[in-house]
Amino acid sequence: MEGTNQYKWQPLEIEEEGEALFRPSSNEKDKLFGVPRKVWFGLLSAFLIAISFYSIPTAAHSSNPTVSSSNPTVPLDIEMLANALLPGVNSISDLNPTTSQYRALEWLAYNDTRGLTIEDDSTQLLERFSLVTLFYALGGEDWKLDDDWEDDCWEVWSGLWLNGSSSHCDWRPVYCGEDGLVTVFKFNAGWLSGELPPEIGNFRNARAMQFGLNGLSGSIPTEIGYLQQLHELDLSENSFSGTIPSEIGNLQQLESLGLDANYLSGTIPSEIGNLQQLARLYLLNNKFSGTIPSEIGNPQQLTLVNLSKNSFSGTIPSEIGYLQQLNSLDLAKNDFSGTIPSEIGNLQQLIELELYNNNFSGSIPSEIGNLQQLTFLDVRGNIFSGTIPSEIQNMYQLNEFLT
């Protein structure tokens, strides 16, 4: 060691020409090359410890940033995960460690042993990350079994979601297609709380999302518009607030939209008219206002429209007459005004018509007699004038008429 002569080396006399030998001094017994054996043992131990330290993969030292199926114990590099899975994130240090996204990245990097790689399994890895984000964002640690849930897997699903060796296709109540990509969420009547994270938009193959009857809050993420294969979206009976994002109009395969029993406000976006396959629209029991957009007449596959118990105003647009497949129209308990459009008579498949507790005026149009499938009609609580049209006698199926 520099600055000491504790371990002193002495050259020997040359025994043969051209050969220099070294031998410890005679007073240094039990030494190897002049260094006490204890020192050698200490140096050797330190060397072995250093070797073992650098051979343990960490987020900072791993030479292999991905998990291979042949060596599932090698963790994914958390920095590379952040760059690959979170657009706009340049470094893991940009994230708050308390966020669900950060916690999901940590889980993937240090707990997941499934063996997915960024290079070969990017879509499944993205969905796996998004599911873990969903778990942390929606209070996954507190998910419990409800007696009404029929799926036996609910009894153990919380544990499955934290099992790094299991496929996320086994994380009930999530279901996948044959390609291993998520297609169905069945979280209805669960114990979910919190806000839907933007990662909900990463499930591009999803066909159904059922999140009704939970404790979800916050706004509906605009990323919902990426789910262009979605056929059913049920967010009913939660505590969502804010407006319906215009991106809802991107869901052109959507057949059922359930947003009822929340705290949503604002108007119905005109983009609702893009949903050409929409059959059922539930917006009742919210805080919506404004008028019904004329584009409501575009989704001509509609069989049910329920806008009751809101603060909608204005008149019923004449385009409502295009909905000739409609079976049920409920506009009750709003602030609608004006007259009932004569185009209401085009809805010849209509079975239920509820207009009560509004400010409709004028006379009931004679075209209402065309609704020969109608069984229930309620127009109470309005300011109609004139007489009931005689054509109502043509409604042979009418069982109840409330005025």
Side-chain angles (χ1 to χ4, degrees):
M1 298 177 64
E2 185 177 354
T4 73
N5 293 315
Q6 183 178 358
Y7 306 115
K8 183 177 180 180
W9 293 87
Q10 297 181 0
L12 293 179
E13 295 180 0
I14 297 176
E15 298 182 355
E16 296 184 16
E17 185 178 353
E19 182 179 16
L21 299 176
F22 293 88
R23 183 179 299 159
S25 59
S26 58
N27 62 342
E28 293 181 321
K29 296 181 179 181
D30 198 25
K31 295 182 178 181
L32 182 61
F33 295 124
V35 178
R37 294 181 184 274
K38 292 182 179 180
V39 175
W40 278 111
F41 290 149
L43 291 172
L44 180 60
S45 298
F47 175 74
L48 292 175
I49 290 172
I51 291 297
S52 63
F53 173 78
Y54 283 102
S55 66
I56 296 174
T58 65
H61 297 96
S62 175
S63 60
N64 183 0
T66 61
V67 174
S68 65
S69 57
S70 61
N71 185 14
T73 62
V74 178
L76 289 157
D77 183 273
I78 193 169
E79 194 73 46
M80 293 186 68
L81 279 173
N83 293 336
L85 302 177
L86 290 171
V89 174
N90 298 320
S91 171
I92 189 66
S93 61
D94 295 339
L95 293 176
N96 186 329
T98 64
T99 63
S100 55
Q101 289 83 1
Y102 189 98
R103 297 181 69 188
L105 288 172
E106 280 193 320
W107 185 88
L108 283 176
Y110 305 127
N111 299 101
D112 191 13
T113 58
R114 186 62 182 171
L116 300 180
T117 67
I118 295 173
E119 292 84 357
D120 300 329
D121 310 290
S122 58
T123 302
Q124 289 196 17
L125 185 61
L126 179 62
E127 289 198 343
R128 195 169 177 84
F129 161 73
S130 301
L131 284 174
V132 180
T133 300
L134 207 67
F135 178 87
Y136 287 122
L138 304 185
E141 293 97 334
D142 297 323
W143 288 343
K144 302 175 182 178
L145 175 67
D146 189 300
D147 292 337
D148 294 333
W149 290 329
E150 298 178 358
D151 195 333
D152 293 336
C153 291
W154 281 85
E155 297 181 4
V156 294
W157 71 305
S158 180
L160 283 177
W161 277 61
L162 299 177
N163 184 348
S165 63
S166 65
S167 167
H168 55 263
C169 292
D170 296 329
W171 295 358
R172 295 293 178 262
V174 171
Y175 300 84
C176 295
E178 294 181 357
D179 55 3
L181 299 178
V182 175
T183 57
V184 176
F185 293 79
K186 288 188 175 182
F187 283 96
N188 277 355
W191 292 78
L192 308 186
S193 61
E195 300 183 10
L196 285 178
E199 285 73 20
I200 196 70
N202 290 336
F203 302 99
R204 306 297 173 87
N205 279 48
R207 301 295 193 274
M209 285 193 167
Q210 300 173 355
F211 287 94
L213 197 59
N214 281 287
L216 301 179
S217 57
S219 59
I220 300 172
T222 58
E223 289 80 3
I224 207 83
Y226 292 129
L227 308 180
Q228 297 185 19
Q229 301 301 315
L230 204 61
H231 289 246
E232 178 185 4
L233 177 60
D234 182 7
L235 303 179
S236 63
E237 297 189 67
N238 282 283
S239 298
F240 287 107
S241 59
T243 61
I244 301 176
S246 60
E247 289 80 1
I248 204 81
N250 297 339
L251 311 183
Q252 298 188 21
Q253 301 300 316
L254 199 64
E255 298 175 8
S256 180
L257 176 59
L259 302 179
D260 47 297
N262 282 284
Y263 299 98
L264 295 168
S265 58
T267 61
I268 300 175
S270 60
E271 288 81 1
I272 201 84
N274 297 341
L275 309 182
Q276 298 289 328
Q277 304 302 316
L278 192 65
R280 296 174 296 280
L281 177 61
Y282 302 91
L283 300 183
L284 66 149
N285 200 13
N286 278 284
K287 297 182 177 181
F288 291 118
S289 59
T291 60
I292 300 176
S294 59
E295 289 82 0
I296 194 69
N298 293 351
Q300 296 183 19
Q301 302 302 315
L302 275 169
T303 60
L304 183 149
V305 173
N306 194 331
L307 309 184
S308 65
K309 300 180 181 178
N310 282 286
S311 298
F312 288 115
S313 59
T315 60
I316 301 175
S318 60
E319 289 81 2
I320 202 82
Y322 294 135
L323 307 180
Q324 298 185 20
Q325 302 300 315
L326 204 60
N327 299 139
S328 178
L329 177 61
D330 190 348
L331 305 180
K333 294 188 175 181
N334 280 285
D335 294 318
F336 289 112
S337 59
T339 60
I340 299 176
S342 60
E343 288 81 0
I344 202 81
N346 296 340
L347 310 182
Q348 298 188 21
Q349 300 301 315
L350 202 61
I351 297 174
E352 296 179 348
L353 177 58
E354 301 187 48
L355 304 177
Y356 66 91
N357 288 3
N358 279 285
N359 294 303
F360 290 116
S361 59
S363 60
I364 298 175
S366 60
E367 288 83 358
I368 204 164
N370 297 340
L371 309 182
Q372 298 188 15
Q373 303 300 317
L374 201 68
T375 63
F376 182 82
L377 174 61
D378 190 346
V379 296
R380 293 174 298 168
N382 287 284
I383 48 177
F384 290 116
S385 60
T387 60
I388 296 175
S390 60
E391 287 81 0
I392 204 165
Q393 300 176 21
N394 299 335
M395 303 163 66
Y396 301 111
Q397 303 297 324
L398 190 63
N399 294 325
E400 194 166 7
F401 180 23
L402 303 176
T403 59

